[in-house]
Amino acid sequence: LTDLEPDTRYYYRVIIGMDNQDEFSDLYSFITPPEAASENSFRIVAMSDMQKDSSNPDKFYEIIHDGVIDYLSYEHGDSLDKELAMVLVTGDLVDNGNSHSQWVDDFFAPSADLFSYVPLYPVFGNHEQDTDFFTNYFDMPENGTLDYKEHWYYTDYSNLRLIGLDSNPDYRIQIQLDCLENVLADDCVDENIDFVFTQLHHPYKSELWLPGETDYTGSVIELMENFTEQCGKPSIHFFGHTHGY
């Protein structure tokens, strides 16, 4: 979709052609991000590790409906696309990234009532197993490093820059840190960017699960802390992996 106006609600539906008979989805809507200079206030939700747990198979559905949709409706209003700008997902969307049925049944089905209206920005967790299903289902901004499409990227919403990174072993490389450092250098001098959030899957330190700690994330945090100290712009990093929320 191109040439969309900022801060505007658009309506859409999906048309599927099968055996010369078109099938139509319900009508949905989304609202485009505001211009950066507007500094509009907004809400986000951060979640992670919703891969299906056989002991609590309906937990993700509960979080989406009771924890997000019902809460927003009660506290703010029923228009999800108006009340929520985006959802951050810091990895492990499914238990086995190579299982197509898990993407369909365990991730998209329980969350359809939310993600039909609100965009989500995920990053790779370890359970995705570097699957093509991730890159096929999602279309992340192609502004990271060439040859590492969708493994790291950034996007802007109002005066926030959101950076997604890949903390899995094969991607704990200097080239990703160099890309992050370059993006942060741009953020420092960009008058429209006041806040920077970074999300990646593995923690640097964890009170709950020490084997899940990753020194590479510590290098990311160091860059973020230096950015905030030198540029005076608040930064946050989000992680998952430990299931400690």
Side-chain angles (χ1 to χ4, degrees):
L1 300 178
T2 59
D3 299 325
L4 302 184
E5 295 295 325
D7 198 17
T8 301
R9 175 178 280 121
Y10 288 89
Y11 294 88
Y12 75 96
R13 63 181 176 184
V14 179
I15 304 174
I16 305 172
M18 300 178 63
D19 299 327
N20 297 321
Q21 294 182 350
D22 289 339
E23 295 186 4
F24 299 86
S25 75
D26 292 335
L27 191 65
Y28 302 102
S29 64
F30 64 91
I31 297 178
T32 52
E35 293 181 340
S38 69
E39 299 191 358
N40 284 8
S41 60
F42 58 94
R43 300 181 187 89
I44 66 172
V45 166
M47 58 175 68
S48 187
D49 298 79
M50 59 281 297
Q51 71 265 40
K52 191 171 184 176
D53 176 0
S54 59
S55 300
N56 299 278
D58 298 321
K59 182 57 65 177
F60 184 41
Y61 181 94
E62 176 190 334
I63 289 171
I64 290 292
H65 291 81
D66 298 348
V68 179
I69 296 176
D70 288 355
Y71 173 81
L72 286 172
S73 297
Y74 179 79
E75 293 288 338
H76 303 290
D78 292 329
S79 299
L80 289 173
D81 54 0
K82 178 182 178 182
E83 304 300 341
L84 189 60
M86 67 177 79
V87 176
L88 315 184
V89 184
T90 60
D92 284 4
L93 286 67
V94 293
D95 188 57
N96 178 2
N98 292 304
S99 170
H100 179 258
S101 62
Q102 290 188 16
W103 287 97
V104 174
D105 300 329
D106 298 345
F107 182 74
F108 287 112
S111 60
D113 290 339
L114 177 63
F115 294 146
S116 297
Y117 297 92
V118 179
L120 67 152
Y121 289 93
V123 294
F124 278 92
N126 55 295
H127 279 269
E128 273 70 55
Q129 301 182 40
D130 212 1
T131 175
D132 287 341
F133 284 128
F134 184 99
T135 53
N136 289 336
Y137 273 127
F138 304 113
D139 189 17
M140 298 296 98
E142 297 184 22
N143 47 22
T145 305
L146 191 65
D147 298 330
Y148 294 94
K149 179 183 177 183
E150 301 192 54
H151 286 278
W152 49 89
Y153 61 87
Y154 64 87
T155 189
D156 298 338
Y157 191 101
S158 187
N159 54 348
L160 166 69
R161 174 152 291 176
L162 168 68
I163 304 172
L165 302 173
D166 191 336
S167 57
N168 285 289
D170 288 345
Y171 299 95
R172 296 171 189 168
I173 53 179
Q174 186 61 42
I175 191 171
Q176 182 173 197
L177 295 176
D178 292 343
C179 182
L180 173 60
E181 190 169 17
N182 290 334
V183 172
L184 292 175
D186 291 339
D187 298 342
C188 188
V189 298
D190 190 332
E191 295 181 354
N192 290 322
I193 301 298
D194 296 320
F195 305 92
V196 177
F197 294 175
T198 298
Q199 61 168 346
L200 70 175
H201 186 61
H202 299 79
Y204 174 48
K205 296 295 181 182
S206 166
E207 294 180 346
L208 178 67
W209 188 33
L210 273 62
E213 296 180 347
T214 303
D215 287 341
Y216 187 82
T217 301
S219 299
V220 170
I221 293 172
E222 182 178 3
L223 290 174
M224 300 289 290
E225 289 178 338
N226 290 340
F227 160 79
T228 291
E229 182 177 357
Q230 295 169 11
C231 306
K233 298 183 179 184
S235 62
I236 296 176
H237 79 281
F238 297 93
F239 63 84
H241 199 45
T242 67
H243 299 200
Y245 310 111

